[in-house]
């Protein structure tokens, strides 16, 4: 008997991906909040600070001056100039404005870079734990993710050797993210240099997601682009979201060799076109204006990190790698598996949300099965409340 083949209603490439774990958790939390739940939210990672005044004013002025029309796809020349100038000043890079493309958030720059560089069957090395979207964006492009496990006992710090062992003739790209979301691990500058030079020698691209580059607590703030000799195979993904507390504005960029940037522009011209014109003016003010907010935010995050680590240490069985940047902690909660019906970190996050009213993100979305992610980019008060609830939750299991 002939079997009826029912074709999937959507494209194979969209069927390959799942909704972002961070966004799924935020949506779930929003449902509870709408029903009146008082949630302590450590879910979505975003600064609790407001966008600095001078940046907001530049956005308002752009509207008042009717700077509300289409612009060049990759951003107005003044913005691209401001991006490369700020990067040169802070990291010693020497990109030209035509090697920069402004995008609708760092996520769009990352998405486009992967679509531009990765073809069907290409291998992309992704260190684990990884930010939730790396895997799905690579799979959307038809690429094959090759995972490299960072060692939890070494606070998830990635070394060049770990990456080197995963390279094959099919390796097309390596995604680095230092400081790392979710672990907060920072690569040692020597390891970063070794990965980039080794990849460059082999013609492998390094896509360096530097959304947290300024939230590095080691005092050794470094961009992959500080390593001058490897520029030809390097794409930097930058974001203003965390640096200037601008998550909702959606402002990011990519820096890379001119041919890569031309391809990014081509792809962007067929999707979103230019990033919002108003946001572009605000971004210029952010990049060219006073930079004091960066150090202020960082000081606050270090205090919050210390507080959260101290509180987590008081929960029996929970152990946590020490983050050296970003604003997340990634505690291992596997000691509680098998207790009170909990079997996985997804169960822990789900029950924390529904029973303790604390929003976290389960480790499964970041490629590990024993952890949950907490964002400590929030007030000390919310953090304290969340940790009280988490402690009670585990005590009752
Ligand atoms: N930095 C945010 C997080 O990881 C981004 C959320 C997202 O775009 O998925 O929570």
């Amino acid at each position: 008997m002939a079997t009826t083949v029912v074709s999937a209603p959507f494209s194979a490439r969209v069927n390959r991906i799942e909704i972002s774990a961070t966004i799924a958790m935020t949506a779930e939390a929003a449902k509870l909040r709408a029903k009146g739940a008082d949630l302590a939210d450590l879910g979505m990672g975003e600064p609790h600070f407001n966008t600095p005044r001078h940046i907001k004013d530049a956005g308002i002025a752009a509207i008042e001056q009717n700077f509300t029309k289409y612009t060049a796809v990759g951003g107005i020349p003044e913005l691209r100039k401001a991006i490369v100038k700020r990067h040169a000043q802070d990291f010693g890079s020497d990109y030209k404005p035509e090697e920069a493309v402004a995008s609708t958030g760092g996520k769009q720059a990352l998405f486009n870079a992967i679509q531009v560089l990765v073809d069907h069957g290409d291998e992309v090395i992704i260190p684990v734990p990884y930010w939730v979207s790396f895997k799905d964006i690579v799979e959307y492009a038809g690429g094959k993710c090759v995972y490299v496990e960072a060692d939890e006992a070494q606070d998830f710090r990635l070394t060049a050797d770990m990456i080197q062992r995963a390279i094959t003739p099919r390796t097309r790209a390596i995604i680095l993210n230092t400081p790392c979301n979710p672990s907060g691990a920072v690569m040692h500058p020597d390891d970063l240099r070794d990965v980039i030079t080794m990849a460059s020698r082999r013609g492998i691209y390094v896509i360096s997601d530097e959304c947290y580059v300024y939230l590095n607590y080691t005092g050794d703030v470094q961009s992959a682009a500080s390593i001058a000799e490897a520029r030809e195979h390097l794409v930097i993904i930058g974001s203003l979201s965390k640096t200037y507390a601008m998550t909702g504005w959606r402002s990011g960029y990519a820096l890379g060799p001119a041919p890569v940037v031309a391809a990014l522009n081509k792809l962007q011209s067929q999707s979103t076109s230019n990033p919002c014109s108003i946001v572009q003016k605000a971004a210029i003010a952010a990049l060219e204006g006073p930079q004091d907010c960066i150090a202020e935010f960082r000081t606050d995050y270090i205090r919050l990190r210390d507080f959260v680590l101290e509180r987590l240490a008081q929960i029996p069985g929970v152990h946590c790698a020490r983050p050296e940047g970003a604003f997340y902690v990634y505690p291992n909660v596997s000691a509680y598996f098998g207790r009170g019906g909990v079997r996985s970190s997804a169960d822990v996050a789900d029950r924390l949300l529904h029973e303790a009213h604390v929003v976290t993100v389960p480790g499964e979305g970041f490629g590990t099965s024993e952890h949950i992610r907490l964002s400590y980019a929030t007030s000390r008060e919310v953090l304290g409340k969340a940790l009280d609830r988490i402690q009670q939750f585990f005590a009752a299991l």
Side-chain angles (χ1 to χ4, degrees), residues 20-24 26 43-46 107 131-133 181-182 211-212 241-242 247 250 327-328 361 366 373 375:
S20 152
T22 47
I23 288 173
T26 306
M44 190 75 138
E46 65 176 339
K107 201 188 234 180
W131 178 52
V132 291
S133 292
N181 173 5
C211 288
Y212 298 93
S241 290
K242 279 71 181 189
T247 46
R250 312 310 299 132
F327 42 54
Y328 307 101
V361 185
F366 305 95
R373 189 192 76 173
S375 162

Side-chain angles (χ1 to χ4, degrees), residues 265-280:
N265 266 296
K266 180 169 76 169
L267 180 57
Q268 199 160 294
S269 81
Q270 295 292 12
S271 56
T272 56
S273 290
N274 61 272
C276 169
S277 57
I278 300 152
V279 172
Q280 291 189 52

